[in-house]
């Protein structure tokens, strides 16, 4: 686990494409994936066998965002490690669409605080979570 570096971005975009094709995340492919991966805040990557295998951002507002793991490297605890690292770097809340993702965060102890409509698409319902205390 380490801070994402500029030279990691090509690998991160490739992984994001793999995740999008496998799972539909993100729901809408961004027109500028590098910009989408880089909201203000701190970006971290997980490494497996020396290669970037996962990604997460803790935004300047404390949101855990842009979490994904290489579909070929799942089942190794990388996503949970990324969440733990994000928590250490100040992640306090998150929003998710997918029920599988919601179940993952609930298993890690995150608390559902409510739902709301997505600002980027009013037809999308988001589940809102707070970091465990």
């Amino acid at each position: 686990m380490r801070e994402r570096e500029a030279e990691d971005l090509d690998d991160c975009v490739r992984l994001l494409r793999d995740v999008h094709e496998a799972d539909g995340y993100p729901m809408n492919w961004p027109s500028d994936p590098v910009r989408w991966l880089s909201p203000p805040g701190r970006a971290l990557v997980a490494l497996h066998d020396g290669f970037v295998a996962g990604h997460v951002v803790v935004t300047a507002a404390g949101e855990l965002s842009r979490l994904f793991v290489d579909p070929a490297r799942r089942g190794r605890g990388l996503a949970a490690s990324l969440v733990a690292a994000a928590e250490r770097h100040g992640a306090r809340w998150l929003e998710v669409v997918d029920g599988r993702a919601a179940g993952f965060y609930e298993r890690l102890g995150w608390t559902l605080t409510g739902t709301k409509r997505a600002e980027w698409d009013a037809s999308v319902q988001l589940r809102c979570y707070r970091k465990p205390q």
Side-chain angles (χ1 to χ4, degrees):
M1 198 75 51
R2 64 170 168 74
E3 297 237 3
R4 189 187 72 207
E5 299 170 358
E7 52 271 8
D8 296 327
L9 281 167
D10 286 343
D11 291 334
C12 290
V13 170
R14 266 193 302 281
L15 286 181
L16 184 63
R17 172 61 75 182
D18 291 346
V19 170
H20 179 71
E21 290 174 359
D23 302 323
Y25 176 80
M27 285 182 69
N28 303 306
W29 183 254
S31 60
D32 183 348
V34 169
R35 183 170 173 229
W36 186 86
L37 287 169
S38 305
R42 173 175 275 163
L44 306 168
V45 293
L47 303 176
H48 186 265
D49 294 333
F51 296 97
V52 174
H55 180 274
V56 69
V57 171
V58 179
T59 69
E63 178 185 11
L64 187 153
S65 186
R66 296 354 185 219
L67 174 67
F68 57 91
V69 171
D70 180 354
R73 293 186 172 98
R74 291 184 182 160
R76 294 173 170 88
L78 295 172
S81 293
L82 283 162
V83 170
E87 290 173 351
R88 288 191 301 276
H89 287 291
R92 298 181 313 274
W93 62 280
L94 61 90
E95 299 171 343
V96 297
V97 175
D98 187 271
R100 291 173 297 167
F104 167 73
Y105 291 113
E106 289 170 7
R107 286 189 299 280
L108 294 178
W110 286 68
T111 303
L112 178 66
T113 59
T115 61
K116 70 177 193 176
R117 298 279 175 205
E119 293 174 10
W120 43 270
D121 184 338
S123 69
V124 175
Q125 189 79 5
L126 298 174
R127 296 169 62 102
C128 306
Y129 286 87
R130 286 275 171 208
K131 175 184 165 188
Q133 298 301 320

